[in-house]
Amino acid sequence: MPFEEASPQAEPDGHAAAPAAKRVFIKTFGCQMNVYDSERMSEMLAAEGYVETDAPDEADLAILNTCHIREKAAEKVYSDLGRLRDIKSARAEGGKETLITVAGCVAQAEGEEIVRRAPAVDLVLGSQSYHRLPELLSRLRGGETALVETAFPDEDKFQALPERASAKAVTAFLTVQEGCDKFCTFCVVPYTRGMEYSRPVAALVDEARRLVQRGVRDITLLGQNVNGYHGEGPDGAPTTLAGLIGQLAGIEGLLRIRYTTSHPRDMSEALIEAHAREDKLMPYLHLPFQAGADRVLAAMNRKHTAADYLALIARIRRARPDIALSTDIIVGFPGESDADFEATLALVREAEFAHAFSFKYSPRPGTPAATMDGQVPEEVKRERLERLQEVIDAGYRRFNGACVGKRLPVLFEKAGRHAGQLVGRSPYLQLVHADADPALIGRVIDVEIRAAGANSLSGAICGQS
Ligand code: SAH
Ligand code: SF4
Ligand code: F3S
C-alpha cells in the first residue's frame, strides 16, 4: 500500500536523553516497507547513541527514507533536501555538524545523481545497504565525503541488523519478503528493491516472538509481493506464506496477523484456505488489480484478466464471506481509452471494495511503459481519477455504513483525540473510536458500532452505555 505523505518518524522513546546524545531526524516516504526500514535504522542508531528527534534543525544526522514509485514522491525529496541544506549551513555557523543521508528507493534508483543535484548530501544509501549505516557514518566522520552505497550486497542485511528493540506500539510491521520479479511495465520496484528474496521462517518467528514479548499484538507481514513468499522452513524446504502464517499463529499473545501486498497470480489455494481456517488471520486483503480492461492489463504485464480477478475474489469470498477487499488502481496508463477506463469503473462497482488506492499513471525513467505510445494527457488522467475516486468513496461509505449496529472486536491501540477515548482497529482495518479505560490498550474488546464517519467508526464498548 503506497503512501506518499511524508511522516516524521520521531517518537523519542521516553528515556531521558544523556546530555551528549547525538540526535537523528528520520523522515519516511513511501510504503510500509520503508516504515519498517526506518524503524530498523532508528534501532541501529540507538545502539550507536543516537536519540530520535522530530526537529530537523536539532539533528546531527538527518535521514530521508525515500520513495521512487511516482514522480511526485521522488521530487518531494529534493524540496526537503533544499530545506536540509539551509539547516546544515545555519548549524555549521554555530559550529555544529549535520550529516545528510538519502536512503531508500530514490537512493537506489538515482545513486550519484543525488549528490550531483544536491551537493549537501553526505551519504546515498540504497535500500539493501542500510545495515552498514554505522560503518558508513564513521567513514564520513573520518573525512570521506559524498559516499554512494547502492550495491545489492551478498550478505543478508536482516541478519546483520541488531535485535529488535522495544516495540513502540501494539501493531508492528514485519518484512518477510522483499523485491519483485513481476516487472509490471509501469513499476520501479523490481529495480529499486531487486529480485524476490524471502527471509527464513525461523528468523521471522524469532522476530515476531520478540515483538510480542514487547507488547505487539497485531503484526502485518510485509513484502512487495508478499504472497510469493517462499522462505526456508525449519526442514530446509521452501515454505509458503500460508505455512509461515500457520507458524506465526502458534505464538501465544499474538492476536492478529495481516499481510500486504499480494499479487493476484500468487493467491494460492492454501492461502485462500488459511483465510477460512486461521482465526488469527484477519479478514482483510489488499489485492491490487490496477486496470479493468484486458488490453491494458496485458500492456501492464499483469498476466491476469479482469475475469480472472473477479473469479479469484469470488473464491476468496467463498472461503471467508466477510472479507474486506482493498486494491490499487492506475488511471491513464499509456493507450488507455475512454472505454478501457469505463471497464475499470465497472470492475470497481462489481468487486465492492472496502477500500482502494488510486493513482494517475506516472511515467518512471527506465520502465517500459514510460516510452510506450499513447501517453494520456494530464487533464484526462485528472478527470478519470476524480470519477474513479467518487465510485471508490461511495463503496467506502457503503462498507462503513453497513457496520453501524454491528458488534466488532476492536484491538485498542492508543488514546484518541478526546479525553477518555481510545482508538483501535476492527478486523477490517477500520479505525474505531470508543470511550474506554486506557488499561484496555493492547486488548481486543467488542464494540457496538454506533456511527460511521468519513474515515472512521465510533461506538461503545459492549457492556457500557
Ligand atoms: N506490490 C507492491 C506495489 C508497490 S507500488 C506493493 O507492495 O505495494 C504500489 C502501487 O503504486 C501499485 O500497486 C500501483 O497501483 C501504483 N504504482 C506503481 N507504479 C506506478 C506508476 N508508475 N504510476 C502510478 N502508480 C503506480
Ligand atoms: Fe511493482 Fe508489479 Fe512488482 Fe507490484 S507486482 S511491486 S506493481 S512490479
Ligand atoms: Fe516507494 Fe520503494 Fe515502497 S519505491 S512504494 S518506498 S518499495
Side-chain angles (χ1 to χ4, degrees):
M1 247 181 281
F3 300 106
E4 275 176 9
E5 296 81 38
S7 53
Q9 265 276 306
E11 271 175 37
D13 267 341
H15 303 306
K22 291 168 281 182
R23 295 187 180 272
V24 56
F25 168 80
I26 305 179
K27 184 163 169 176
T28 308
F29 303 79
C31 63
Q32 292 102 325
M33 197 164 290
N34 264 11
V35 174
Y36 175 87
D37 289 346
S38 289
E39 251 177 54
R40 303 291 314 246
M41 280 193 270
S42 163
E43 289 168 5
M44 190 170 40
L45 290 166
E48 301 281 309
Y50 280 91
V51 174
E52 262 197 67
T53 174
D54 56 6
D57 52 354
E58 280 182 359
D60 304 288
L61 170 63
I63 301 177
L64 300 181
N65 195 10
T66 61
C67 174
H68 200 248
I69 201 80
R70 284 167 289 274
E71 192 180 352
K72 210 168 88 196
E75 282 306 310
K76 269 188 197 159
V77 173
Y78 287 99
S79 49
D80 274 23
L81 282 175
R83 278 191 289 276
L84 287 177
R85 177 200 54 211
D86 296 345
I87 289 173
K88 182 173 178 161
S89 31
R91 281 172 51 90
E93 279 169 25
K96 291 186 201 139
E97 187 186 49
T98 314
L99 294 175
I100 301 179
T101 294
V102 178
C105 293
V106 176
Q108 195 66 54
E110 296 188 6
E112 303 265 346
E113 174 65 18
I114 296 174
V115 273
R116 265 197 296 277
R117 262 183 87 177
V121 171
D122 298 284
L123 172 62
V124 176
L125 185 65
S127 40
Q128 301 308 328
S129 306
Y130 68 78
H131 57 295
R132 297 187 46 212
L133 192 50
E135 168 212 331
L136 295 162
L137 290 174
S138 84
R139 278 170 55 190
L140 289 173
R141 293 217 177 78
E144 290 184 59
T145 52
L147 293 177
V148 177
E149 200 59 52
T150 52
F152 285 93
D154 290 337
E155 75 264 22
D156 174 356
K157 79 174 171 213
F158 295 105
Q159 268 188 339
L161 289 168
E163 243 184 43
R164 298 304 305 265
S166 59
K168 286 181 180 162
V170 168
T171 61
F173 294 131
L174 174 55
T175 294
V176 303
Q177 178 276 334
E178 209 174 346
C180 183
D181 303 346
K182 293 271 190 292
F183 290 93
C184 300
T185 54
F186 51 80
C187 183
V188 292
V189 170
Y191 312 98
T192 62
R193 292 278 173 168
M195 302 304 274
E196 283 183 20
Y197 165 76
S198 297
R199 297 177 64 192
V201 173
L204 295 169
V205 171
D206 223 45
E207 190 169 330
R209 259 210 190 99
R210 287 212 175 86
L211 289 168
V212 171
Q213 274 162 12
R214 287 164 179 142
V216 168
R217 297 289 171 259
D218 176 329
I219 294 184
T220 301
L221 311 178
L222 298 182
Q224 269 91 22
N225 187 21
V226 73
N227 56 347
Y229 176 85
H230 56 271
E232 188 186 293
D235 55 358
T239 301
T240 61
L241 186 64
L244 174 66
I245 289 168
Q247 298 272 325
L248 294 172
I251 299 177
E252 204 180 321
L254 177 60
L255 305 178
R256 293 180 163 187
I257 301 171
R258 306 172 185 277
Y259 61 94
T260 196
T261 294
S262 298
H263 192 288
R265 297 260 304 172
D266 290 331
M267 207 62 220
S268 68
E269 279 309 316
L271 189 53
I272 295 174
E273 203 346 62
H275 277 283
R277 182 173 34 82
E278 186 49 74
D279 288 345
K280 291 187 180 180
L281 183 57
M282 289 296 100
Y284 183 92
L285 176 64
H286 183 65
L287 194 65
F289 79 87
Q290 313 296 0
D294 288 345
R295 49 184 289 267
V296 175
L297 287 168
M300 287 176 161
N301 193 31
R302 291 290 293 179
K303 298 199 169 80
H304 60 77
T305 63
D308 294 336
Y309 185 86
L310 288 168
L312 174 61
I313 62 174
R315 286 216 308 281
I316 296 166
R317 282 183 166 135
R318 269 199 298 279
R320 180 77 204 218
D322 68 330
I323 200 159
L325 294 176
S326 106
T327 198
D328 290 342
I329 306 161
I330 295 177
V331 299
F333 185 81
E336 184 187 72
S337 66
D338 285 341
D340 294 334
F341 173 64
E342 292 299 330
T344 296
L345 290 180
L347 199 151
V348 174
R349 289 196 184 100
E350 186 163 354
E352 295 198 42
F353 294 106
H355 200 65
F357 298 89
S358 50
F359 312 99
K360 287 184 286 187
Y361 168 69
S362 169
R364 307 307 291 131
T367 59
T371 49
M372 282 179 186
D373 292 340
Q375 299 287 329
V376 174
E378 185 58 29
E379 180 57 21
V380 176
K381 288 187 208 172
R382 202 178 50 73
E383 275 169 26
R384 287 181 186 169
L385 188 69
E386 273 173 22
R387 284 187 60 203
L388 174 60
Q389 285 179 343
E390 274 169 29
V391 178
I392 291 170
D393 286 351
Y396 184 58
R397 279 196 301 272
R398 245 191 329 272
F399 182 77
N400 280 348
C403 293
V404 176
K406 285 190 183 156
R407 273 184 178 209
L408 296 180
V410 172
L411 172 59
F412 283 115
E413 294 178 11
K414 56 186 177 196
R417 234 177 303 148
H418 305 298
Q421 193 186 55
L422 295 185
V423 54
R425 298 255 176 201
S426 76
Y428 314 110
L429 211 58
Q430 296 145 301
L431 276 178
V432 182
H433 298 270
D435 285 345
D437 187 332
L440 298 183
I441 291 175
R443 290 181 51 195
V444 176
I445 307 288
D446 274 351
V447 173
E448 190 185 301
I449 304 303
R450 302 258 166 95
N455 296 306
S456 65
L457 303 175
S458 59
I461 62 175
C462 292
Q464 293 204 341
S465 55

